[in-house]
Amino acid sequence: MQNLRVNRVAPGTLLAKIFFLAAAALLFIVILVGCGGSGASSSAPWPTFVDGSVSDTDREAAFTALESLFQNVHGQKDAASQIVAKMKTMKQFARVEVSKSGDAVGWFTDGQMCACLTSDPDEGAQPSAARPTIANQARPADLPAAPTAYLMNAFEPARPDATGAIAGPLTAHGYNVVMLSGLVNDYKQITNAGLLFIHAHGVISQDKNNFERFWYSTSESPTVQKNKVDYQAYWNKGTIATGIADEVQADGSVKTVRKYCVSDQFLHDSGMSFAKNAIWLSQACSSYNPYILKAALDPTSGFPGVAVYGGWTLPERSAESTATTSFMFDRLLGLNQVAPVDPDNPPPTDFTKLTSLLADNTRPVGGLPYDVSVTKDGQSMYRLSTGADTNVPTIIPVITGTDVDATAETLTLSGMFGAPEGSVTIGGTPLAVHTWRETSIVVDKPSDPSGKLVVRSLGGSSSSGYLLSNPYDYTALTLSISPPGGSMDQTEKKTFSVSATTGTIPDGATYRWSLTGKGKLSGGNPVVTSTNSITYTAPSANSTDVLKVEVLNSSKSVAGSATTTIAVGDLRFGYTVSGDVSGENIPPLSDGTFSEPFYLSLHVAASGSDGALAEFVNTDTSLTFQLVATLSSGGRFSTGQTFSYGSNKVGTFHFLPGKDHSNYIFLASSGSMQITKVKDNGDGTFTIGFSATATDFKGCTIAGGGSFSFHYTYDTVN
C-alpha cells in the first residue's frame, strides 16, 4: 500500500511507493503522539468475559448513568478521562480505557463494548502544523471497473453533510448512485462498489477478543430486542457495539443518544464487496489508521478490488470535513464550483494532484487548508493511500487536451481513460476509435468544426451507459496568414505570420513554411521555424507565388495549414481552393494562377454607390474570376480598406469563379476582402492590390489575391 499524502510541494512532484507495514507503523506512532497521551490503551491484562453476566436491567442502568455524565462533560478536554473514572466504579464493566481515538471505552463483563464518543470535537480551530511529504512511483493506471457509487450518511439530518450535493454530479457522470442512511444492515447492500463514501463517527478500539479495530457509528439506535434477536451473532463475535454520542436536532439543540457501532471485521462479515479498482473514502474521526487500512487494502486480509482509501488521521470537525468532502469531489469531477474557484477552469484532477490542492487551498470559513482540521486532540490531516499494485488516478475518465493530425484526418485525445475500450462522441455523435490507451485515444477527426467531446469509458453498464468524462469543448483549428498575400511589388520584402482563427495552436508547436513560385523565404524552402512568422522576398520579375504554412504539434503531425496567394507585379491574380468542394464546379481544385492579360470590364453605378468590377481571364483554360467591390457614390479605395461578402451594399464584394465569363458560381455565404495597396500610376489610372476569401455553406473556401488597374470614371449604367 502506498501513502499519497504530500506536503505543499512544487507542482509535478512525484509520489514514491511505500508498503503497508511501514505506513501502519508510522500512523500508529502519529496517532499515539497526536492524541496527547489520551489515546494510550491500558496495559492491564485482558479479562475473561462471562456470557450472561450482565442483566438487561444492569446494562440499561449503566447506559443511563453514562449518558447523564456524557451530557455534562462532553466538550471538556478531559471528558474521556472523567467518563473512564466513572466506568471504573461501575460493577458492570470488566475493563475501561481511553482508546487510541480519544474515546472513553468500556467492556461489560459479558464482553459487550460501549464507546462514549468524546473525541467528537466542538472547540475552535488552532494554527496548523507542518505535514509530512511522501513520494509516489508511477505505475500503469486504470479506472473503477463498476459504475455504482454508494453514499452513506450515518449522521442526523441537522449535521453538515455533502452526500446529497455530490450525488447529482456523480449521477451526471454515469454512476448509479445508491444513498444509504447508515443502518447496520446497509453494509450488506454494498456489492460490487466502484465508489464508497461513508460519513459517520469513527472510533479506534479493541474488540472483545483484544484485536485493534476501527469502528463506524451507524444511524440505528440499539434495543434489547435487536441485541438478542437481530444482532445476537454480532454480539457473540464482538463486531458490534453501543456508542453514546451527541445528536444535533433540527432546532439546534443537542441530544445525547445511543447508536450501534460496527467494526471493520463486521464490514468483512457483512458481505460488502468492491469492483476492481474501487475507491473508498471516509469522512469520520480517526478514519485513516493502520486498522482500517489493513482491513481495506492489505493484499491478504483486505477487500479485493479496493485501490484507493482516504480518511482523517485524528478526530475532525464535521463542518470542516464536510467542506473538504465538497471541495474534493468538486475537483475530482472537474466542476470547479467550490471556492476558491480556479480561473483557469482546469479539467478533473487526479488523486496525486488532489493532495496538493487540498493543502494549497483554504476553506472560506476558518482559513485552514482543506486537508486540516484542528481539535483538542491535535491536528487531523486528510490522507490518501493506494494498494501496492494499483494506480487509480481518477473517478471518471478525463479529457485534458486534443491534437489534430490533418494529414491522417485523426484526432488524438489526451487525459486518463482507463484500459478497457469505450467510446468517444462529439455532440452525441460517435467517432470511430482507431487506438485506445490509458492516457490517449485516437479517433476520426470530427467533421463538425466544434462541439463537446465526451469519453464513455469502462464498459460497465449504468443508467447513463458508461462512466462519462468531463465534456471537453472542441473547436477545429483553422489558421489564417497575416497580412493576406494580395499584391506586392518586385523585390519587396514582407513578414507574414500565422495565427488561429478558431481553435488553439498546440503548445510547443513548430511551423513548416513552403513556397511555390519565384520568390524566396528566409532560411530556405521549405523551412521549419519555432516562431509563427517568416520573411518573404518577392522576385525581380512578375510572379504569382503561393505561401503555405503547416502547424506541427509535439508529435510532428500536421495540426492545420493555411495558404495565401502573393501576386508579384501589376495586373496579376492567383487563388487556392480548400475545404468541401463537393457539388461545386470550381476549377481547378489545386493552386491556380492567371498570368495572361485581364481587363477591367467597367464601373457600375447604382443608387448611392459605385461598383468596381474586374474580370480575370486565363486565356489558356478559359477559367474566369469576377470581382465586384461596392463603394459609396464617388468613393475611393484606400490601403487597409475591408469589404465583407454581400451584394449591392456599400462595403461589400462578390468573388465569383466560373469556367468562362458566362458561367459564374455565386458563393453566397461569407468572406472578406482587404485592399493591400493603392498605387497612383501618374497617368490618371490607379492599380489596386487586394486579398480576398469566399466560403460557401458547406465550407468550400476560395482564397485569392492580385491587382488590377482602372480609372475612377463613375459611369452610370442602367
Side-chain angles (χ1 to χ4, degrees), residues 437-695:
R437 297 185 176 89
E438 293 172 358
T439 57
S440 67
I441 303 171
V442 180
V443 297
D444 281 345
K445 181 178 177 290
S447 57
D448 293 332
S450 63
K452 290 190 180 296
L453 288 167
V454 172
V455 171
R456 287 165 166 79
S457 203
L458 308 180
S461 62
S462 72
S463 58
S464 300
Y466 303 110
L467 287 188
L468 309 180
S469 72
N470 55 309
Y472 184 90
D473 289 324
Y474 164 79
T475 302
L477 178 63
T478 58
L479 304 168
S480 62
I481 296 177
S482 180
S487 177
M488 290 179 62
D489 294 329
Q490 294 179 13
T491 71
E492 182 182 354
K493 284 188 176 182
K494 186 177 288 186
T495 297
F496 293 90
S497 62
V498 62
S499 60
T501 304
T502 62
T504 303
I505 293 177
D507 292 337
T510 54
Y511 306 85
R512 184 165 61 204
W513 303 86
S514 59
L515 183 70
T516 302
K518 299 177 182 178
K520 293 183 179 180
L521 298 177
S522 60
N525 184 24
V527 60
V528 177
T529 65
S530 58
T531 61
N532 68 330
S533 61
I534 194 74
T535 299
Y536 164 83
T537 303
S540 57
N542 288 347
S543 179
T544 304
D545 293 357
V546 177
L547 176 64
K548 181 178 183 180
V549 61
E550 296 169 301
V551 174
L552 308 178
N553 57 29
S554 58
S555 62
K556 305 306 178 185
S557 298
V558 178
S561 64
T563 60
T564 191
T565 303
I566 306 169
V568 179
D570 292 339
L571 310 180
R572 309 285 298 175
F573 175 68
Y575 75 95
T576 57
V577 179
S578 61
D580 184 359
V581 297
S582 61
E584 299 286 16
N585 187 16
I586 305 175
L589 300 184
S590 59
D591 297 341
T593 60
F594 291 72
S595 57
E596 293 297 325
F598 53 87
Y599 60 93
L600 179 67
S601 179
L602 59 126
H603 297 288
V604 177
S607 59
S609 64
D610 292 294
L613 182 150
E615 189 172 80
F616 307 95
V617 180
N618 186 312
T619 57
D620 290 339
T621 62
S622 296
L623 298 179
T624 303
F625 273 80
Q626 191 178 88
L627 176 73
V628 180
T630 305
L631 296 163
S632 60
S633 182
R636 297 266 174 153
F637 289 108
S638 60
T639 302
Q641 191 175 22
T642 59
F643 296 79
S644 60
Y645 204 89
S647 176
N648 299 324
K649 291 184 179 180
V650 174
T652 64
F653 80 104
H654 294 164
F655 193 40
L656 311 176
K659 276 193 171 183
D660 55 57
H661 64 273
S662 64
N663 185 21
Y664 290 115
I665 301 169
F666 188 76
L667 295 176
S669 177
S670 62
S672 65
M673 183 182 80
Q674 185 177 49
I675 304 302
T676 59
K677 74 173 182 180
V678 177
K679 178 183 178 182
D680 187 341
N681 297 322
D683 59 0
T685 67
F686 293 83
T687 300
I688 297 298
F690 72 94
S691 178
T693 62
T695 302

Side-chain angles (χ1 to χ4, degrees), residues 128-291:
S128 61
R131 52 183 68 80
T133 301
I134 300 175
N136 178 27
Q137 182 178 11
R139 292 187 297 262
D142 209 342
L143 297 177
T148 302
Y150 294 90
L151 306 180
M152 178 183 291
N153 177 28
F155 279 112
E156 63 276 15
R159 190 181 291 256
D161 174 67
T163 54
I166 63 181
L170 285 170
T171 300
H173 283 284
Y175 276 97
N176 289 325
V177 176
V178 180
M179 304 292 288
L180 300 173
S181 61
L183 301 175
V184 171
N185 284 329
D186 278 351
Y187 288 95
K188 295 181 179 180
Q189 298 185 47
I190 301 172
T191 56
N192 200 39
L195 172 67
L196 172 62
F197 174 78
I198 300 176
H199 184 200
H201 288 295
V203 178
I204 301 172
S205 180
Q206 301 100 309
D207 63 14
K208 65 182 291 185
N209 302 306
N210 199 17
F211 288 107
E212 290 285 4
R213 300 288 185 192
F214 175 72
W215 306 71
Y216 283 119
S217 70
T218 72
S219 59
E220 189 172 345
S221 299
T223 66
V224 173
Q225 174 67 19
K226 291 177 182 177
N227 294 349
K228 291 187 173 180
V229 179
D230 298 339
Y231 304 141
Q232 182 66 52
Y234 304 141
W235 286 122
N236 293 341
K237 193 172 182 179
T239 60
I240 194 170
T242 300
I244 296 176
D246 279 343
E247 185 177 83
V248 182
Q249 305 302 300
D251 61 1
S253 62
V254 177
K255 180 181 179 181
T256 301
V257 297
R258 298 176 214 169
K259 300 291 183 183
Y260 282 120
C261 296
V262 294
S263 71
D264 55 75
Q265 183 60 53
F266 171 90
L267 306 186
H268 278 280
D269 295 344
S270 70
M272 186 172 78
S273 65
F274 294 86
K276 182 182 178 182
N277 303 321
I279 299 159
W280 180 355
L281 304 175
S282 293
Q283 184 187 338
C285 291
S286 305
S287 53
Y288 187 88
N289 59 77
Y291 319 111

